[in-house]
Amino acid sequence: MAKWKRLRLGLGIMLAAGLFAGCSPAPTETKTEPANTGAAPAAEGSQTKQSAEPKTITVAVEAEPVSLDPQNVTDGNSLTVQRPMFEGLMTFNDQMKPVPLLATEYKFNDNATEVTFTLREGVTFHDGSPFNADVVKANLDFVRDEKNGLARNNYFSFIKEVIVKDPTHVTIVSAEPNSAMVSYLAHPSAAFKSLESLNKKKADPGFNLDRNPVGTGPFKFAEWKDNQYVKVVPYENYWDQAHKAKVESIVYKPVIEAGTRINMLKAGEADVISKLPTQSAKEISQDSSFNLFTAPSLNVYYVGMNLKLKKYQDKRVRQAMNYAINKDDLIAGVVDGYAQVADSAIAPHTFGYSQQKVYEYNPEQAKQLLAEAGYKDGFDAVLWTRNSSEFIAIAENVTIQLEKIGIKAKVQPYESGTLFDMLDHEKGTDLWIGRWSPGTGEADYGLRPNFHTASFAPSFNNSGFYSNKEVDKLLDDALVTPNQEEALKKYAQAQQIIYEDAPWVFLHVPDNVVAKSKDVTGVTVLPSDTVLVNDAEKN
């Protein structure tokens, strides 16, 4: 089992920060150079396969994007396709901290209710219109307007007001103290569309922003052929000369079947493939024509439990279930070793993570705890899971191990949308296999949606109805604490309590597994499993 600081990489790439990473900066002025979100060059090697197309990078992704509007998607696949075209005020550096991008600096007020950005000058959108403070306000006001029905509307609910000071200064006011604001604004959903495109939508409700992306990134939209590909080409007036496009185009092809993506890579029909099945990783790593990257993600897999049910209300029962699962065996058997044991409620690359003492496999201790709690003979349970092969395999492994201590769980798989609806509305919730990754990459969004009393389903993700007043207070105090060091201490304390309370059976943090042709360099793999090819070159 690999530790997070010892990444199993098949080539010399940087594990870059990005979508699900961030921090809660103190209320101070910060100034940095524009972030380079590219990766270190991959190892060079001769490519014996036929190239898909000279100077075109072809990326095989697992599904077609839902939309090319960054404020109207919640899936990582769509964000992967959007990333070359869009930028926001902030992004993340390789230390997993938010840094200015279309902003040059930012400054919090003393109580972390306002953050003022100084904007980069000379930036234009792909339609030639300028980027300025009016654009920032128009975008944030538009996404927060419920009448527009954008998928990311709730994500920006922390904003009370956006104030334009002048063309290069804008202040974002939070509804309450919020030291995580900058991390939220580094998320790719906080990227900006041109004012011209927003005005078109306002004038004509039928104008489709999902299909007409206009950003400030190094690539601009060229074509979307349904179920075939999305193509982007270089933007000739991109503001950052050091990171201008290095290829003639990028083509994203939706390929649902993982086996087909692998065959495309081998045939030279794709240069990069995402979500490589772990059982195929060894084969690809042994082929000198390809590079394999593996590195821990921000996801945590777990078994959730409904604490409204009497059988889970005794902490000893929940701890027993944690001791009952041999996580190393699960990782070896289900994901071929490409994971690490979850030693907190959030993954190690999440900013604010605090390592806890793992529940080591100990079935005898598990049985003793069950007996002490009045369940010497165990009990029956129902374990919900998504109907994908990976989730079902995890569920089956868990049930086999739980049965050894007397807990007889029946696996019931559901389509993911159906499962989420059942969890949101408590339609017989007992146990379920869950997976969570914080959208901001920092501790608050990793913990609050799952463990705060105010996050009970259906308002948020706490479908197990875990409630601890001390945890609530720590999370609330941390969010409004402008001092970063003090906030991190509170998040660490909250993680310690949650891990001991065991409202989940903490399973594993999976690796991202991505493969590419050796003649392509400059590919970046984000902890979110997003693949960035903005800086990619093809030899």
Side-chain angles (χ1 to χ4, degrees):
M1 178 176 60
K3 296 296 183 184
W4 74 277
K5 289 184 179 177
R6 180 169 54 84
L7 307 185
R8 298 193 303 267
L9 298 184
L11 65 158
I13 68 161
M14 175 193 306
L15 176 65
L19 301 183
F20 301 116
C23 73
S24 303
T28 183
E29 186 169 336
T30 303
K31 185 172 183 176
T32 69
E33 294 302 312
N36 175 9
T37 56
E44 300 300 326
S46 60
Q47 174 58 276
T48 58
K49 309 296 182 183
Q50 180 183 356
S51 295
E53 179 182 341
K55 302 301 181 185
T56 289
I57 303 291
T58 301
V59 184
V61 294
E62 66 174 346
E64 189 165 37
V66 175
S67 163
L68 295 183
D69 180 350
Q71 298 166 5
N72 201 30
V73 295
T74 58
D75 68 298
N77 187 72
S78 294
L79 293 173
T80 290
V81 179
Q82 294 169 10
R83 287 301 288 261
M85 294 181 281
F86 287 98
E87 297 172 319
L89 293 171
M90 308 290 295
T91 188
F92 294 95
N93 68 10
D94 60 355
Q95 299 302 310
M96 311 298 282
K97 294 183 178 181
V99 293
L101 185 58
L102 293 183
T104 59
E105 59 187 25
Y106 64 88
K107 186 176 182 180
F108 275 93
N109 66 349
D110 289 340
N111 62 358
T113 58
E114 296 182 3
V115 57
T116 298
F117 293 90
T118 301
L119 306 185
R120 192 173 299 282
E121 298 185 62
V123 177
T124 60
F125 285 90
H126 302 154
D127 58 12
S129 61
F131 168 74
N132 53 38
D134 288 331
V135 170
V136 175
K137 178 174 173 57
N139 273 265
L140 295 178
D141 286 351
F142 190 83
V143 69
R144 292 186 301 122
D145 188 340
E146 293 184 359
K147 296 194 298 293
N148 294 320
L150 296 181
R152 285 291 183 177
N153 170 266
N154 287 336
Y155 182 82
F156 296 94
S157 61
F158 68 90
I159 297 176
K160 177 182 178 181
E161 186 180 8
V162 181
I163 302 171
V164 172
K165 303 287 190 178
D166 58 52
T168 59
H169 293 88
V170 62
T171 296
I172 295 175
V173 182
S174 175
E176 57 187 13
N178 187 337
S179 60
M181 272 194 286
V182 172
S183 294
Y184 276 66
L185 293 167
H187 191 280
S189 64
F192 299 119
K193 304 183 283 280
S194 77
L195 192 57
E196 297 291 331
S197 60
L198 284 178
N199 288 337
K200 285 181 182 178
K201 180 66 174 179
K202 292 174 182 177
D204 177 12
F207 180 71
N208 192 346
L209 288 171
D210 295 331
R211 293 279 179 152
N212 293 278
V214 182
T216 62
F219 289 84
K220 62 183 179 182
F221 177 67
E223 187 177 19
W224 182 352
K225 285 198 172 182
D226 289 341
N227 302 311
Q228 296 184 53
Y229 62 82
V230 173
K231 182 178 181 179
V232 298
V233 296
Y235 176 46
E236 56 277 8
N237 294 321
Y238 182 54
W239 62 271
D240 187 356
Q241 293 296 312
H243 299 291
K244 294 192 73 169
K246 300 175 180 66
V247 294
E248 294 175 7
S249 62
I250 304 171
V251 174
Y252 296 91
K253 292 186 176 181
V255 183
I256 296 173
E257 292 296 328
T260 304
R261 295 198 296 276
I262 294 170
N263 290 336
M264 289 175 66
L265 181 70
K266 291 178 177 178
E269 296 171 0
D271 300 298
V272 183
I273 61 172
S274 64
K275 290 183 170 47
L276 179 72
T278 54
Q279 62 266 30
S280 302
K282 184 177 180 180
E283 175 194 359
I284 293 296
S285 69
Q286 293 174 342
D287 191 320
S288 62
S289 298
F290 309 116
N291 294 136
L292 179 74
F293 339 146
T294 68
S297 69
L298 294 184
N299 285 298
V300 174
Y301 280 81
Y302 63 91
V303 180
M305 56 192 90
N306 183 359
L307 272 62
K308 285 186 177 181
L309 301 180
K310 184 176 183 295
K311 57 188 173 183
Y312 303 122
Q313 289 175 358
D314 192 315
K315 180 169 66 175
R316 291 171 295 185
V317 171
R318 306 193 298 269
Q319 291 177 334
M321 294 170 69
N322 273 278
Y323 284 119
I325 305 300
N326 188 325
K327 288 91 172 178
D328 290 312
D329 280 359
L330 185 152
I331 289 168
V334 176
V335 292
D336 303 287
Y338 289 95
Q340 66 183 80
V341 172
D343 55 9
S344 181
I346 54 179
H349 278 299
T350 305
F351 187 80
Y353 153 85
S354 178
Q355 184 179 22
Q356 307 303 313
K357 185 181 180 193
V358 170
Y359 290 95
E360 299 289 354
Y361 178 56
N362 192 332
E364 293 308 312
Q365 185 172 358
K367 290 177 183 177
Q368 180 180 336
L369 286 168
L370 278 181
E372 291 174 1
Y375 294 95
K376 180 180 178 180
D377 298 322
F379 51 81
D380 294 334
V382 175
L383 177 61
W384 292 347
T385 185
R386 304 184 202 185
N387 61 358
S388 72
S389 57
E390 179 187 10
F391 273 83
I392 291 173
I394 293 170
E396 290 176 344
N397 183 290
V398 167
T399 57
I400 290 170
Q401 299 202 60
L402 287 178
E403 189 168 6
K404 293 177 182 178
I405 65 166
I407 298 176
K408 296 174 283 295
K410 179 181 178 182
V411 176
Q412 291 185 352
Y414 295 94
E415 186 273 328
S416 58
T418 301
L419 176 61
F420 298 155
D421 181 70
M422 293 166 67
L423 289 170
D424 285 345
H425 298 93
E426 201 186 353
K427 296 180 179 178
T429 306
D430 188 344
L431 300 174
W432 73 96
I433 301 294
R435 181 180 68 189
W436 181 256
S437 175
T440 62
E442 46 76 48
D444 192 76
Y445 204 67
L447 300 172
R448 183 178 301 275
N450 296 294
F451 304 111
H452 198 289
T453 304
S455 297
F456 280 2
S459 63
F460 229 116
N461 208 54
N462 190 351
S463 297
F465 305 99
Y466 171 73
S467 179
N468 183 307
K469 291 182 179 179
E470 189 175 0
V471 169
D472 291 348
K473 187 175 189 310
L474 285 166
L475 293 178
D476 290 342
D477 289 350
L479 189 63
V480 302
T481 299
N483 183 284
Q484 184 182 94
E485 185 177 347
E486 290 301 315
L488 292 178
K489 288 180 181 178
K490 295 179 187 299
Y491 286 125
Q493 291 171 16
Q495 288 169 73
Q496 181 179 6
I497 295 169
I498 291 166
Y499 207 77
E500 183 181 346
D501 271 354
W504 290 353
V505 179
F506 303 97
L507 297 178
H508 63 282
V509 175
D511 286 357
N512 295 320
V513 185
V514 176
K516 73 170 184 64
S517 298
K518 265 194 174 176
D519 65 349
V520 173
T521 59
V523 176
T524 305
V525 183
L526 306 181
S528 62
D529 78 15
T530 299
V531 180
L532 282 183
V533 292
N534 294 23
D535 284 334
E537 296 185 68
K538 192 168 184 178
N539 301 321

